Amino acid sequence: MATGAVAVCVGTVLAFEVYGFAELAMDAPTPPDGPARALLVLPLLLCFGGPFAVLVTLLLTLPTVSAARWVSARTTGPDTWWWVPVVAVAAMSAVAAVVGAWWRPGAGASVLLWLTGAALLTGAALLARDAALRGRRLLRVLGYGALAAVAVAAIGGAAYATGAVTEYRPPKADAARLVGTWSDGHGGTLRLSADGTARAEGLRSDCTGVGTWSSEPDGPTAWDQLVLTEVTDCSFDWRISGTPEHPKLNHDYGEVDDPHWYTLTR
C-alpha cells in the first residue's frame, strides 16, 4: 500500500507541473503560476498528502488492482497487466461523470479532470501491482518520479523556447479600442463612450447607472493594464484578456488566493 500512496503523491506533483506548463498558454487576466505551481504544492503534500494518498490508495488504487486481476483471471488469464489501465480508465470515467454532474465544470475541464485522474490512477495502480508481485519499490517510484519531473521540465521548456507553443500575453488595448458595448452574456451590459462616459445596465451586484471610465494602458507589462469604471453606487476595476480580435474585460470578485472572474465580451 505504501508504494501506491507514494505513487499518488508523486503523480500529483507531476500533474501540477504539467498543468503549470499548459497554463502558460491559456487565456487569463492575471499571470499564471506556471510550473512553479508544482513547488507550491509540495509543502501541502508534506503536511496533508500522506493521509490523502492513503485514502486514495484504499478507495481507488487497490480496488483498481483487485478488479483488474479479477477481470483478467476470467478473460485473458491470470494477472494480465494491461487490464489495470482499462479498469482505471473505466473507474475514472465514472468518477468524472459524478463530479461533472455535481460540479458542472464544463466540457474542457471535465476532459482534463478525466485524463489527469486516469493517468494518475493508472500509474499508481501499476506500481502497486508491481510492488505486490515483486516487493516494495519505494526508491524506484521516487526515482521514476524525479526522472519524469525532469523530462516534463525539459519538454515543456523546449516547447516554449522553440515556439512550438506560444506563451499567452493579454492584448494591448488603448482607450480607442475599448470604446463600445460590452456584455456578460446574461443581459448585463457596459457601454464605454469615447467621451469617457460609462453606462452600466444589469451588471453584477445590480450595477446600473451612468458614470465615467478611464484606462491605464501603460503598466510595466500587458498584465497590468486596467480599465476603471465608476458608476452610481458601483465601481469596477477591469483587467484585460482575450485576443486582439476578441478582447475581454475581467473583474475579480473572489478572494486574494481564490479569484473568481466576472467577464465581459464584445
Side-chain angles (χ1 to χ4, degrees):
M1 184 174 71
T3 301
V6 171
V8 170
C9 289
V10 171
T12 300
V13 174
L14 291 174
F16 274 99
E17 185 183 13
V18 171
Y19 178 76
F21 275 108
E23 189 181 34
L24 294 176
M26 295 180 182
D27 180 342
T30 56
D33 293 325
R37 182 184 295 271
L39 298 177
L40 296 176
V41 80
L42 279 178
L44 182 64
L45 283 178
L46 291 175
C47 293
F48 306 105
F52 167 77
V54 170
L55 182 63
V56 171
T57 300
L58 290 173
L59 295 181
L60 287 175
T61 306
L62 295 182
T64 297
V65 175
S66 298
R69 284 181 171 178
W70 184 86
V71 174
S72 177
R74 285 158 178 77
T75 53
T76 57
D79 205 11
T80 304
W81 73 268
W82 52 261
W83 275 112
V84 172
V86 171
V87 173
V89 169
M92 284 311 304
S93 297
V95 171
V98 172
V99 173
W102 171 68
W103 183 29
R104 300 184 184 278
S110 295
V111 172
L112 181 62
L113 171 68
W114 173 68
L115 288 174
T116 303
L120 286 175
L121 182 56
T122 297
L126 285 173
L127 289 169
R129 171 186 175 276
D130 182 65
L133 294 175
R134 299 178 177 84
R136 295 182 178 179
R137 292 289 189 271
L138 292 181
L139 292 180
R140 178 179 294 183
V141 171
L142 293 174
Y144 286 161
L147 289 175
V150 172
V152 169
I155 294 172
Y160 285 100
T162 59
V165 181
T166 302
E167 187 173 353
Y168 175 76
R169 287 288 185 272
K172 281 287 188 179
D174 56 19
R177 298 183 63 185
L178 294 169
V179 171
T181 300
W182 301 79
S183 171
D184 64 4
H186 302 284
T189 60
L190 175 65
R191 180 176 298 176
L192 305 180
S193 301
D195 62 0
T197 301
R199 291 178 173 82
E201 183 174 348
L203 295 182
R204 187 179 181 277
S205 302
D206 296 324
C207 180
T208 298
V210 179
T212 61
W213 74 278
S214 61
S215 66
E216 296 181 0
D218 299 322
T221 69
W223 301 100
D224 298 303
Q225 301 174 94
L226 288 176
V227 178
L228 311 177
T229 57
E230 295 186 7
V231 181
T232 307
D233 297 330
C234 54
S235 299
F236 292 108
D237 295 346
W238 306 90
R239 292 186 176 274
I240 296 174
S241 67
T243 64
E245 297 78 16
H246 302 286
K248 301 175 184 177
L249 296 181
N250 307 273
H251 171 66
D252 179 11
Y253 63 92
E255 302 295 332
V256 174
D257 58 348
D258 184 26
H260 297 279
W261 296 101
Y262 176 57
T263 301
L264 305 181
T265 58
R266 189 174 57 185

